[in-house]
Amino acid sequence: MSFDLKAFLAQERRQTEIALGRCLDHPTGLPEWAGPVIRHGVLSGGKRIRPILCVTAYRALQPRVDPVDRVRRLACSLELIHAYSLMHDDLPCMDDAPLRRGQPTPHTVYGERATQRAAAMLIPMAARLAWNATLDLDHDARTAAEVVRTLMGGAGARGMVGGQWMDLASEGVAIGEADLTRLHSMKTGALLTAALRVGGLAAGADPSRLEALESYGRSVGLVFQIADDILDRTASTEALGKKPSDVDMEKSTYVSLLGVEGARARGELEVDRALQALREADIESAALSAIAAYVLDRDR
Ligand code: GRG
């Protein structure tokens, strides 16, 4: 029987959004003004691919249905980090983007200062959520600490923030494929990889399976960026829900280095690597396999 990825993703996205809404219902210690800004940044659409990967990795190793809502709560911590990064990335001092997902970006509605600050509040909120949700899954403090370390590692200077820094530093500079891959492995790949590892840790995976999930994540992260570069060159503003930006910013991309066909071939190679990592660790998951291919073929 073939796997209906479209239905799976739609269902997972709905469940993730319900869980995200609950996480934001009673945030502790937030000033009142920050609530609407955070809700706008976190709840206005998106593919929710990071929490979906986290829950899907968990299910691949631990098919017990019972605690899936608690795993989903844990998975929301990844989306909070992702949301903060997009809120900052769209600010006038960065990409200066008025639109994301076809909707006005938070700073165009609430102003720059409020958006900067509210987005920063999402970082400790995500760490606290990851800690509490891991303990709620009956793991001990050691595992909870490892989950938080994984999340913050993916988000930090050796992960997403470091990659963003490299990206800013390379604007207007021609960089080769090796540097481009390093940059994106950090900027986009590290948080995706963290999502898989967090799912694996929640499922109590052994080190070899954790490594396989991370290897899958690294490959899917690259595929994700390659697809982004292809879409940036080939898709319309309406289809993307934002203005394509790479050419304006004079950035090296997989498409500028390899052409659309070459970039696609590179993406296909990486999809194969992702699937091989799962096979070698005996991780059978129709969903993870289908997601790897979808990430390359997505249209937004
Ligand atoms: C100032 C150095 C510095 C860092 C601040 C802004 C920031 C932290 C990091 C930005 C990281 C960034 C923009 C990564 C790009 C990730 C990416 C591919 C975003 C698009 O993700 P999708 O396609 O978005 O999953 P949706 O809309 O589906 O949620």
Side-chain angles (χ1 to χ4, degrees):
M1 209 173 68
S2 72
F3 181 75
D4 187 347
L5 181 68
K6 212 170 152 197
F8 173 83
L9 290 176
Q11 162 75 2
E12 288 298 311
R13 203 175 299 134
R14 262 194 307 278
Q15 296 300 330
T16 303
E17 281 169 5
I18 293 170
L20 278 169
R22 285 193 190 129
C23 291
L24 298 183
D25 270 348
H26 307 287
T28 16
L30 274 191
E32 211 169 300
W33 61 264
V37 193
I38 286 181
R39 293 183 78 81
H40 185 111
V42 175
L43 297 177
S44 23
K47 294 180 286 299
R48 313 300 188 191
I49 194 72
R50 294 156 190 81
I52 292 176
L53 281 171
C54 178
V55 171
T56 307
Y58 174 89
R59 278 217 196 90
L61 302 180
Q62 187 66 268
R64 267 192 313 144
V65 177
D66 174 36
V68 83
D69 280 347
R70 280 182 279 160
V71 179
R72 220 183 290 283
R73 202 164 89 82
L74 169 61
C76 285
S77 62
L78 290 138
E79 194 67 10
L80 298 189
I81 293 290
H82 173 59
Y84 117 74
S85 79
L86 298 185
M87 289 164 81
H88 276 187
D89 193 47
D90 289 335
L91 286 170
C93 61
M94 303 269 264
D95 268 5
D96 193 11
L99 277 183
R100 176 168 293 271
R101 302 155 174 163
Q103 301 191 48
T105 41
H107 67 268
T108 59
V109 180
Y110 297 99
E112 248 178 281
R113 278 161 62 94
T115 301
Q116 247 176 46
R117 290 165 193 197
M121 289 172 194
L122 284 169
I123 307 169
M125 199 191 284
R128 179 202 282 261
L129 176 62
W131 173 266
N132 287 335
T134 309
L135 294 180
D136 282 350
L137 280 161
D138 297 328
H139 285 296
D140 58 14
R142 199 184 156 112
T143 307
E146 183 57 19
V147 164
V148 176
R149 195 193 67 77
T150 300
L151 177 68
M152 292 295 121
R158 293 193 182 158
M160 183 184 76
V161 165
Q164 172 77 351
W165 183 256
M166 281 174 73
D167 200 9
L168 294 172
S170 63
E171 265 167 31
V173 179
I175 59 170
E177 194 184 336
D179 283 338
L180 189 68
T181 297
R182 204 164 92 79
L183 184 166
H184 288 305
S185 300
M186 292 166 73
K187 178 177 161 179
T188 311
L191 196 60
L192 284 166
T193 304
L196 287 140
R197 184 174 163 83
V198 168
L201 286 166
D206 62 38
S208 72
R209 287 181 142 190
L210 281 179
E211 174 47 40
L213 286 172
E214 288 185 78
S215 171
Y216 168 94
R218 284 191 291 271
S219 289
V220 167
L222 267 188
V223 175
F224 196 90
Q225 187 57 47
I226 291 169
D228 230 41
D229 289 354
I230 295 175
L231 285 170
D232 209 73
R233 178 65 68 88
T234 57
S236 64
T237 302
E238 293 70 44
L240 285 180
K242 62 175 186 176
K243 197 169 152 284
S245 56
D246 293 341
V247 176
D248 294 357
M249 298 276 197
E250 292 183 58
K251 283 181 180 176
S252 293
T253 70
Y254 284 98
V255 171
S256 71
L257 291 178
L258 307 173
V260 172
E261 287 310 310
R264 203 183 149 77
R266 179 79 179 79
E268 281 165 2
L269 180 77
E270 220 52 60
V271 172
D272 287 346
R273 285 188 180 148
L275 301 185
Q276 192 183 346
L278 297 182
R279 262 195 316 273
E280 283 175 5
D282 271 336
I283 299 176
E284 266 184 57
S285 165
L288 286 179
S289 303
I291 288 172
Y294 151 82
V295 165
L296 184 60
D297 289 328
R298 68 201 165 94
D299 55 12
R300 68 188 174 106

